[in-house]
Amino acid sequence: MTLICKAENIDNDIAVLNKAAEIIRSGGLVAFPTETVYGLGGDGLDPKAAQKIYAAKGRPSDNPLILHISHTDELKPLVKEIPKSAEKLMERFWPGPLTLIFKKADIVPYEVTGGLDTVAIRFPQNSIARKFISLCGRPVAAPSANSSGRPSPTRASHVEFDLKGKIDMIIDGGHCEFGLESTIVDVSKDRPCLLRPGSVTVEMLEDMLGGIDIDKAVTSKLEAGERPKAPGMKYTHYSPSAKVIIVRGNEENVVNKINQLVSQTDKCLKTGVIASEETKDRYIADEVLVTGSRSNTAEIASNLFKMLRKCDHHNIDVVFAEGLPENELGLAIMNRLKKAAGYKIYDV
Ligand code: TXA
Ligand code: MG
């Protein structure tokens, strides 16, 4: 059975958080809110808990988990060294939506790191997440709390849909502010490298570091045999059951092309468009799902996964998504959309 409890305030809801921490300490699994997406937490130093996480998500066990901490002091015992570049990034972006990859210390089990000698660490900003992790008294291993391959959950109801009956508890802390998973930067090598774009943007990272490498998997489809540096980036991701197709270019061309593609789609199929506030009234598709205003990419980011999930609830067969320029937050949004679309894009 899965216990589902609301917790929106760390003082009023302390009993819920204590209960959740007790479940983690006794080897169970708890889904919890963060500012990015909901995480599926287990004891980060217990190999058995890691195996339970992989089983509940249906996730391959070579895809490593992120360890979540509630204070910067908790980092040191988990890693071999803290490079200068990491210190700078932690100072500026922790707590927050940035995960850093370090050389792992011996106490971190290989079950958590998918057999790698490195470990991903994140110090989230969400107050419920921080209180919960601190009550656990150990790092909390947590991937996104979705079934493997599905869009990440940004509401407790998304977690419930995917994992109810498979985990011990869901802490319902409302919707996730940023709505895309954390930015991942590997600081374990000589030069810092971006492995997954997120709300801490490349522009912000360059500003702090002077320069940063970007893994090819961030923007492009890998060829057969090529390996991304973040093992998770090789799997199909974020996919609704609908076929997703991206159309990008100037607003006028995008609207015209999508309407043309909709009119050419087999009439037995239900069509949808993932549109913006500005264009939503111009489409002829069966359903129009609005993520937000084109001038507010943070709003688009925070609604994207909800809209991808809505495609399934509305039984949409083919969904056309408006593309965005790949700078600032647009890079992270397009990274998720491209994966959902299997890199099917029209440039117009
Ligand atoms: O925002 C987030 O990061 C959310 C919340 C819950 O904190 N978590 C999350 O976890 O997105 P997950 O497991 O869905 O994605 C973690 C990604 C995967 O692509 C994984 O391959 C990569 O991080 N990763 C984890 N450890 C790694 C390591 N040691 N080296 C390279 N990539 C790693
Ligand atoms: Mg995930």
Side-chain angles (χ1 to χ4, degrees):
M1 223 204 46
T2 305
L3 193 63
I4 303 173
C5 300
K6 276 206 184 326
E8 279 166 354
N9 177 293
I10 55 169
D11 297 319
N12 299 345
D13 299 314
I14 192 72
V16 168
L17 301 181
N18 271 318
K19 171 76 191 161
E22 192 188 301
I23 292 174
I24 295 289
R25 286 194 303 268
S26 52
L29 303 186
V30 176
F32 62 100
T34 82
E35 68 277 18
T36 57
V37 300
Y38 274 75
L40 175 57
D43 182 337
L45 300 179
D46 174 8
K48 285 206 196 81
Q51 281 155 2
K52 278 192 191 173
I53 291 174
Y54 291 119
K57 275 182 66 88
R59 172 171 172 151
S61 58
D62 68 343
N63 188 0
L65 307 173
I66 298 174
L67 289 184
H68 293 66
I69 57 176
S70 62
H71 196 283
T72 313
D73 293 348
E74 294 160 25
L75 172 66
K76 221 167 161 192
L78 304 174
V79 303
K80 281 241 156 75
E81 59 192 23
I82 304 176
K84 275 270 167 307
S85 57
E87 276 174 7
K88 276 195 195 169
L89 295 175
M90 286 156 54
E91 170 83 28
R92 170 76 179 76
F93 298 112
W94 276 12
L98 174 70
T99 295
L100 296 173
I101 311 254
F102 298 90
K103 294 196 176 90
K104 85 172 192 72
D106 294 340
I107 60 160
V108 177
Y110 280 110
E111 284 80 356
V112 165
T113 67
L116 298 175
D117 288 318
T118 53
V119 61
I121 314 271
R122 171 154 132 72
F123 175 9
Q125 186 184 87
N126 177 288
S127 59
I128 298 282
R130 283 164 69 173
K131 188 69 191 180
F132 160 62
I133 297 161
S134 104
L135 289 170
C136 291
R138 65 202 70 191
V140 174
S144 49
N146 50 296
S147 296
S148 193
R150 300 252 308 140
S152 293
T154 54
R155 302 277 188 289
S157 59
H158 301 165
V159 181
E160 204 181 322
F161 187 86
D162 283 12
L163 298 178
K164 193 174 174 186
K166 297 182 175 169
I167 63 178
D168 300 294
M169 184 174 178
I170 299 171
I171 305 174
D172 179 353
H175 77 99
C176 302
E177 184 190 347
F178 293 112
L180 297 179
E181 308 86 345
S182 60
T183 304
I184 304 181
V185 176
D186 186 349
V187 290
S188 71
K189 316 270 157 34
D190 288 343
R191 270 178 70 85
C193 181
L194 177 78
L195 306 190
R196 180 173 74 183
S199 298
V200 171
T201 64
V202 170
E203 290 81 356
M204 294 179 198
L205 293 166
E206 277 175 342
D207 209 43
M208 287 304 296
L209 299 173
I212 183 167
D213 291 343
I214 299 180
D215 188 38
K216 189 185 163 198
V218 168
T219 51
S220 345
K221 186 175 181 173
L222 298 177
E223 306 301 327
E226 264 186 309
R227 290 164 67 93
K229 296 203 176 82
M233 301 287 270
K234 74 173 175 263
Y235 298 105
T236 321
H237 254 77
Y238 314 118
S239 312
S241 309
K243 181 174 177 191
V244 182
I245 296 167
I246 301 172
V247 180
R248 69 178 166 195
N250 80 43
E251 198 172 300
E252 199 56 31
N253 292 351
V254 167
V255 172
N256 291 338
K257 181 69 182 178
I258 290 181
N259 280 336
Q260 184 203 348
L261 291 168
V262 168
S263 67
Q264 290 168 352
T265 303
D266 187 333
K267 293 290 170 280
C268 319
L269 299 177
K270 187 167 180 186
T271 54
V273 179
I274 296 183
S276 57
E277 239 357 287
E278 289 82 355
T279 53
K280 64 175 189 219
D281 298 324
R282 301 181 61 196
Y283 289 112
I284 58 167
D286 298 317
E287 296 274 354
V288 177
L289 306 168
V290 181
T291 47
S293 165
R294 283 179 87 86
S295 63
N296 185 353
T297 45
E299 187 186 18
I300 294 179
S302 105
N303 289 319
L304 181 67
F305 288 148
K306 187 171 93 176
M307 292 308 159
L308 287 174
R309 281 177 176 263
K310 266 206 173 157
C311 293
D312 286 347
H313 296 311
H314 291 296
N315 296 312
I316 294 171
D317 298 297
V318 189
V319 65
F320 302 96
E322 295 179 354
L324 289 173
E326 286 176 82
N327 61 341
E328 298 185 342
L329 204 44
L331 181 69
I333 295 169
M334 285 299 283
N335 167 271
R336 307 312 191 271
L337 264 181
K338 282 177 177 174
K339 284 178 188 293
Y343 297 87
K344 178 114 190 78
I345 306 179
Y346 287 97
D347 281 302
V348 290

